Amino acid sequence: QVQLVESGGGLVQAGGSLRLSCAASGRTSSMSTMGWFRQAPGKEREFVSRITWRDASTDYAHTVKGRFTISRDDAKNTVFLQMNSLKPEDTAVYYCAAGGADAGQTAGEYVYWGQGTQVTVSS
């Protein structure tokens, strides 16, 4: 089992920044990829970004590329999502997820999920 706990969400004005954290515990060695997804009210959960533990390769949704940065701290088993130049359309619950080496941009490819953290961007 892998446990994921997100933190860092909140209310911010458009143009502002937030940094989300995802602390992983348990059998983390079984998971190769960490991802961030988000879900706005009435919408499907969508991919935001992912990073691999092995070589820190990253991937971003086109809607956040250039504004968001994913990173990891191996010693703390923690993944971060630095979100800059936030827009009202970034408002959503943000979820951290853990998957195997083949986990990509599809939510179904991830095995473990955190409880989510709310991000609200006001205009």
Side-chain angles (χ1 to χ4, degrees), residues 28-34 50-55 57 59 98-105 109-111:
T28 56
S29 61
S30 64
M31 296 289 104
S32 303
T33 304
M34 298 294 292
R50 70 182 182 102
I51 187 168
T52 60
W53 284 114
R54 182 175 63 87
D55 58 6
S57 62
D59 189 17
D102 58 350
Q105 298 190 2
E109 296 171 332
Y110 291 80
V111 180

Side-chain angles (χ1 to χ4, degrees), residues 77-96:
N77 278 342
T78 300
V79 174
F80 304 98
L81 186 69
Q82 178 66 44
M83 307 186 295
N84 298 328
S85 302
L86 283 162
K87 305 175 182 180
E89 50 264 45
D90 293 319
T91 295
V93 177
Y94 282 70
Y95 297 91
C96 176

Side-chain angles (χ1 to χ4, degrees), residues 50-71:
R50 70 182 182 102
I51 187 168
T52 60
W53 284 114
R54 182 175 63 87
D55 58 6
S57 62
T58 59
D59 189 17
Y60 296 93
H62 69 90
T63 53
V64 306
K65 205 166 190 177
R67 300 188 297 123
F68 291 11
T69 303
I70 192 170
S71 61

